[in-house]
Amino acid sequence: MKVLMSRRRALFSLATAGAAAVAAGCASGSNDPTATATTASATTAQSGGATAAPQETAGPYPGDGSNGPNILVQSGVVRSDITRSFDSYSGVAQGVPMTLELTLRDLAASGAAGKGMAVYVWHCDRDGNYSLYSDGVTEQNYLRGVQVAGTDGKVTFTSIFPACYSGRWPHIHFEVYDSLETAVAGRNARLTSQIALPQDTCESVFAHDSGYARSVGNLAQVTLASDNVFGDGWDAELATVTGAPSSGLRVSLTVGVAEKSQNTQSGNGSGPQPGGRPPADAPGGRPAR
């Protein structure tokens, strides 16, 4: 799928190119274009090829203690398979199988693999509902879990492909913590952001599984550009997907994690529902505040 360069990415590229040109000129005392290219390449290499993921809203259903329940302090939250509810809850989220793989790069350490970082992931189910919050699934805690990055900076989750509910582009929420101890304490996330899913994949999934029937019409009414989170830029948040709905999908994204103090808050664009809230006409949704 071809994706046009977003406004945020374009501005970032212009700023980076300008800074690299100035730095190269000062270092060499000339306007040698080779020096400029070499400086830009060195900058990319130092960051491990990762762009800093933007700070985004956690939305109203994070389950991290900032708005109601805190799943992070519950025994069993550290798990790879998040399709099932755990602890005192039971239930399985149905939908197209999805493996989510995030590769963390610590930009405060020159883009080194984010070994030991913990990632909390959550997203809506096939009906557009969020466990613990939406009507009908308040007694479920599926599609939420924590993993710790290995030496390669990777975390992997087994899940199902999320729905498209009215007013939002299909997405996955995540928080990055410096360590598992910090994560399960339920506080001090270093980064809160979201993952955008490619349009062609969304269309294939929603056409394949009739359980996503409402997502077909919802997707037709929103674009990445009109989404209230991704509307100001999505290049660092758009995942790569391989596989097929019939056999399972693999969703991958490299996440550049800057120091918490350096995180750039997204402008959150324009959109009908603030904070990623499922609107009143979505299954299990609540009216916007």
Side-chain angles (χ1 to χ4, degrees), residues 61-134:
Y61 308 130
D64 62 359
S66 61
N67 183 25
N70 189 350
I71 195 176
L72 295 173
V73 299
Q74 295 181 0
S75 175
V77 71
V78 181
R79 64 214 186 107
S80 178
D81 187 344
I82 62 174
T83 58
R84 297 178 177 274
S85 291
F86 67 97
D87 198 21
S88 60
Y89 297 124
S90 63
V92 181
Q94 302 297 321
V96 169
M98 175 188 75
T99 297
L100 174 65
E101 181 183 87
L102 301 181
T103 301
L104 306 179
R105 295 291 179 185
D106 188 350
L107 300 186
S110 300
K115 176 184 177 182
M117 287 182 173
V119 181
Y120 168 44
V121 162
W122 73 98
H123 61 82
C124 72
D125 62 18
R126 185 173 63 176
D127 296 314
N129 294 324
Y130 283 89
S131 65
L132 299 175
Y133 294 91
S134 301

Side-chain angles (χ1 to χ4, degrees), residues 1-5 198-200 224 234 238:
M1 178 189 70
K2 293 183 179 179
V3 179
L4 296 177
M5 180 177 286
Q199 181 174 350
D200 53 355
L224 277 166
W234 56 83
L238 185 64

Side-chain angles (χ1 to χ4, degrees), residues 1-288:
M1 178 189 70
K2 293 183 179 179
V3 179
L4 296 177
M5 180 177 286
S6 64
R7 176 169 56 84
R8 179 164 59 191
R9 178 60 138 186
L11 292 173
F12 173 81
S13 298
L14 288 173
T16 301
V22 171
C26 291
S28 64
S30 71
N31 292 321
D32 181 3
T34 303
T36 301
T38 301
T39 302
S41 297
T43 300
T44 300
Q46 289 174 357
S47 66
T51 301
Q55 180 82 4
E56 302 284 17
T57 175
Y61 308 130
D64 62 359
S66 61
N67 183 25
N70 189 350
I71 195 176
L72 295 173
V73 299
Q74 295 181 0
S75 175
V77 71
V78 181
R79 64 214 186 107
S80 178
D81 187 344
I82 62 174
T83 58
R84 297 178 177 274
S85 291
F86 67 97
D87 198 21
S88 60
Y89 297 124
S90 63
V92 181
Q94 302 297 321
V96 169
M98 175 188 75
T99 297
L100 174 65
E101 181 183 87
L102 301 181
T103 301
L104 306 179
R105 295 291 179 185
D106 188 350
L107 300 186
S110 300
K115 176 184 177 182
M117 287 182 173
V119 181
Y120 168 44
V121 162
W122 73 98
H123 61 82
C124 72
D125 62 18
R126 185 173 63 176
D127 296 314
N129 294 324
Y130 283 89
S131 65
L132 299 175
Y133 294 91
S134 301
D135 293 342
V137 292
T138 55
E139 299 302 312
Q140 301 288 348
N141 56 14
Y142 54 50
L143 307 183
R144 300 176 184 273
V146 173
Q147 280 284 282
V148 179
T151 57
D152 57 0
K154 295 182 184 294
V155 294
T156 303
F157 295 88
T158 299
S159 191
I160 57 99
F161 200 85
C164 177
Y165 51 80
S166 181
R168 278 303 318 273
W169 187 262
H171 61 282
I172 298 169
H173 295 266
F174 70 96
E175 292 176 340
V176 180
Y177 294 81
D178 282 323
S179 66
L180 177 60
E181 290 74 20
T182 304
V184 297
R187 59 178 182 272
N188 296 325
R190 180 163 158 182
L191 170 69
T192 300
S193 195
Q194 298 186 25
I195 301 166
L197 298 167
Q199 181 174 350
D200 53 355
T201 300
C202 294
E203 292 172 344
S204 296
V205 169
F206 302 156
H208 172 77
D209 187 334
S210 60
Y212 293 92
R214 294 193 64 178
S215 292
V216 176
N218 291 335
L219 186 66
Q221 297 174 19
V222 66
T223 66
L224 277 166
S226 69
D227 184 75
N228 68 328
V229 170
F230 303 123
D232 61 350
W234 56 83
D235 291 30
E237 299 167 287
L238 185 64
T240 298
V241 181
T242 57
S246 58
S247 57
L249 300 168
R250 190 172 195 85
V251 176
S252 304
L253 183 68
T254 296
V255 180
V257 186
E259 288 281 14
K260 185 174 183 178
S261 62
Q262 299 300 312
N263 283 331
T264 302
Q265 178 69 50
S266 164
N268 282 351
S270 61
Q273 298 296 328
R277 176 184 298 279
D281 62 349
R286 300 178 182 179

